[in-house]
Every structure is written in structure tokens, then in C-alpha cells.
Amino acid sequence: MTSFFLDQYGCAKNQVDGELIISRLQNLGFSRTLEAEKADLIIINSCGFIESAKQESLNALIEARATYPRAKIILAGCLAERYAEVFTNELPEADGIVGNGDLAVFDKVMEEIRQGSRPIYKMPQKTVCCGERKEFLSFPGSAYVKITEGCDNHCSFCAIPLIRGSLRSRAAEEIIEEIKALLACGVFEINLVGQDSAAYGMDGISPHNPKVWQSFDGTKSEKSPLAALLQKISSLPGNFWLRILYIHPDHFPLDILPIIASDKRLLPYFDIPFQSGSDSIINAMNRIGNAASYIELISRIRSDFNSTSYGSIALRTTFLTGFPGETDKDAKATEAFLAQIKPDWSGTFTYSQEEDTPASKMKKQVPLKISTARAKLLEKLQEKVTCQALKKRVGQNYDVLVEEIIEGGDGEGTGLAIGRAWFQAPEVDGAVVIRYDFDADTIQKVVPGNVLSVYVDGISGVDLTGYFES
């Protein structure tokens, strides 16, 4: 075996794992191909979060086995971690099953594959998988950096603690060194990720202990570990963007706000997964907040940025529909909550009955047809809110990170490219469609990974349109 193909699924954290797998295999002498038919080895880096994601990963493996019978195929990622024992006998299509507890095991896995064995590994979840990444699966100029692994929130619907284990945080110095290395090799946008970034550095401390978390309100000398990390990042030289993703609303460390507000490179983009606007459902999800406290949190965050150079924040959230016991009244409360907080972006997914989670045993499971209808309604409401937010962006200049060039432009002598402004996170939010002239000087600047000043002049769905003039 000399070549491999990585079939990547799941979240940003799993993407980092995929990038680590790529580097490990390259260090073992493998070359990566982007064409599965040319690969001796195919790795399905799976997602195991909800049923639809699990099925997508399994279908990919079964299809790969049927299409490429001579290739060795390994199931990796969250699905492999959670069901390694089950798949040992029930997934003969896989030549190996490798969990994500410690990706260093891939060195051993490859040796066993070469010797004709069928490696099965489910490693203890004790560390934060990190290390050298020679290639990135993001668009040029952008990268994810893990700051934690695992989660102690134990939301009643979520299988993440069953897959990724308890909270573990990386040392701040290690994170800073990784960011330095990324900036040195031309990365402009750093996205900090963890199952719950608010919990960074709070290993072993209950997230349901309000006395601990409420002390990080910016008025006391003690800083939250996340605030201390941001201060260290803020001391780095250079021009870059830094965005924090996935902050649990129950213990949002308010002391990060003045640090972000004082450094334009730290983006006021807040990804806070509220999941519901109904107090009874929030409580059943094993959360300690309520709709009123969440609305107050968003009001506080927005007020801290009214007078900054950005003049506003970007708010992203997530809603889960069809949680056990969710009534029409609860669904209406979530609709009202969305209308109240007016997120720039939101993602909606239907409840998935994940085995061994507390919610899977709850009574009054909601039919999928109903939860799907509720999700579609929330999506329509969000489209209107997003449209109103985007209208306020028109008529202004924004720095835009170019992601890709559309070959051929618009066919009428104007070039087209896709990029993102500070209020658009990779993969999940809208984009900026950039028009530019086909002259030699401009073409040299409109390159993936470069940052351009773009005048925004319109809206197209959830995207903005704009013009770059060299």
C-alpha cells in the first residue's frame, strides 16, 4: 500500500482529527490522493452524533467496499469509537475499526494492516488529539484549533460524552505555539473549537455549579481560563482573525467580552447553541438556564459591542426540534425566542433518539413528521431574520477572506470568487460573492487565502454580493 483516500464526515473537531490522520499516514510513507479509485487504502472518518450522520458514514463505507473491492477500508472517527465492539462482528466490510481516543495508534494500525490483520482499536479518552498537520481540509487561509476534548455538560439528548469522554483541556502554551505555527505558514483565520469552549480549563469542575461560573463576570481579579487564553492570543503580533466556536449558554464567561472588544482581531462572533426557547424543554435537556436568562445574556453581549469598531456582534445558535415531550406550546416558545434574540444565523436539527442517553428513555417521544415540520418552520423564520441582518451589511466595505475562484467568472468579462467576512464562520454561514475585473493586477490579488476589501452592494439568498476594485 502506498496511497490513501480520506472520506471526511462530521464536525470541525472531527475535521482536525482527519487532518492529523493525514499527517500520520504521510509520515509513514503514504501519499494522499483525492480520487478514491486510485487509493490502496480508504479511511472513512465517521460522525456518530445523530442517526442520520451515522447512517451517512456507514453508507459511505458500504459503497466504498462495493466500488473498490481491492482497497483496504478503515472505519475511523466517532462512529468507530462508539461502536467498535459491535462493528467487530457486524461490519465485515471494514478491514479495520479505529476509534479517536488516541490517533497515534494509526502507526500500529498500518503495520497490522500490512501484515494482513484486522485491527480493532477503541482507545481510552484521556488526551486531546493534536500534533502536526501537513494539510488542511479547510479552504486556504483558515484552520481549526482544538482547545478541549470531551464534555461534562451531559445534555440529556447528547451522545458526545459517550463518544469523546469527559472534558480535557490543552495547555495554553501548547495552543499558543500551534497558533504561532499556523500564522507563520500563512493561515489568516483561526477558529478555536471544543465541545464547549466556555469550559476550557475547567476540567473536573461541574458545569452545573453556578457559584464557580458566575465569578467570571469581569468584575473580579480572577479570570476564566478562556479569558486568560484569549489574553495570551491577543499578545501575539500580526494580522489575523480569531473566532471562538461552541460556547454553552449556561456558563458563558462574561470576562471574555472586554478582551474581545479591545482587539479587533478577536472577532465578536458568538456561537451559542440554545437548542430551545421553552423553559420546560431546556430543563429536560439538563440545562440550568431559561429563556429569560438567555435573552438577558444576548442583550449583555450586544451592549458591550455597540461602541466598538465592529458596532455589532454576529450571533449563531442551534435549535433542536422534537425533543421528548415537546408540545406545540413549547415549539411556539422557541419560535418566539428566535424572534426575540434575532440570531444572524441558526442551524436546526430534529431530535435523534440516541441509545444510552437519558432522553432516549423519556416518554412522549415526538413523531419525526412533527419535529421535521417544526424544524422547517424555524428555518423559515430564521431566513427572514437573516435577511434583515444582511440588509444592514449592504453599502459597507468589509475585509473578505477569499476561499475559491469560480472558473470562467460570470461569462461576461467579470471574475467571480467566493469568500467570507468576519461575521461568517466557515461551512455553516453564508458567504460573500465577489465580483472583480479581469485585469492582470487584480487577478494576482484575488487568490484563495488572501484578504480583500470588498464593497458589499447586494444580497442573494443568505449570501452577500460585492465588488473588489484593485
Side-chain angles (χ1 to χ4, degrees), residues 358-374:
S360 69
K361 304 176 182 64
M362 292 180 180
K363 298 179 180 180
K364 299 182 180 179
Q365 297 284 328
V366 178
L368 180 60
K369 182 178 180 179
I370 293 177
S371 58
T372 300
R374 290 172 180 169

Side-chain angles (χ1 to χ4, degrees), residues 147-148 167-170 197-205 213 225-226:
I147 62 172
T148 70
L167 174 70
R168 292 99 66 197
S169 301
R170 293 176 68 187
S197 295
Y200 172 75
M202 302 297 286
D203 307 31
I205 298 174
W213 294 93
L226 182 58

Side-chain angles (χ1 to χ4, degrees), residues 139 144 189 191 243-246 267-272 313-318 343-348 382 386 390 393 403 418-433 460-464:
F139 284 108
Y144 295 105
E189 177 187 66
N191 296 286
R243 183 185 289 106
I244 311 169
L245 300 177
Y246 320 120
L267 304 181
Y269 180 104
F270 299 97
D271 180 2
I272 310 174
I313 67 167
L315 174 64
R316 178 175 182 82
T317 190
T318 308
D344 297 81
W345 318 98
S346 72
T348 305
Q382 182 61 58
T386 296
L390 292 178
R393 306 287 186 190
E403 291 191 324
I418 304 295
R420 288 180 296 103
W422 70 266
F423 47 83
Q424 298 164 319
E427 305 294 339
V428 292
D429 299 334
V432 179
V433 180
S460 177
V462 296
D463 298 330
L464 293 169

Side-chain angles (χ1 to χ4, degrees), residues 395-462:
Q396 300 184 58
N397 282 287
Y398 290 100
D399 285 343
V400 175
L401 174 62
V402 179
E403 291 191 324
E404 57 182 326
I405 308 300
I406 299 177
E407 295 297 331
D410 65 356
E412 299 180 1
T414 299
L416 292 176
I418 304 295
R420 288 180 296 103
W422 70 266
F423 47 83
Q424 298 164 319
E427 305 294 339
V428 292
D429 299 334
V432 179
V433 180
I434 309 163
R435 304 187 311 280
Y436 60 95
D437 293 331
F438 270 136
D439 62 75
D441 184 54
T442 302
I443 291 173
Q444 288 180 353
K445 295 177 181 178
V446 185
V447 176
N450 279 3
V451 178
L452 310 175
S453 179
V454 176
Y455 177 77
V456 172
D457 57 10
I459 302 172
S460 177
V462 296

Side-chain angles (χ1 to χ4, degrees), residues 170-206:
R170 293 176 68 187
E173 294 73 16
E174 185 179 298
I175 296 169
I176 295 298
E177 288 305 311
E178 180 171 2
I179 292 174
K180 285 181 180 179
L182 291 171
L183 298 178
C185 69
V187 172
F188 175 76
E189 177 187 66
I190 304 293
N191 296 286
L192 302 183
V193 292
Q195 306 301 334
D196 172 16
S197 295
Y200 172 75
M202 302 297 286
D203 307 31
I205 298 174
S206 171

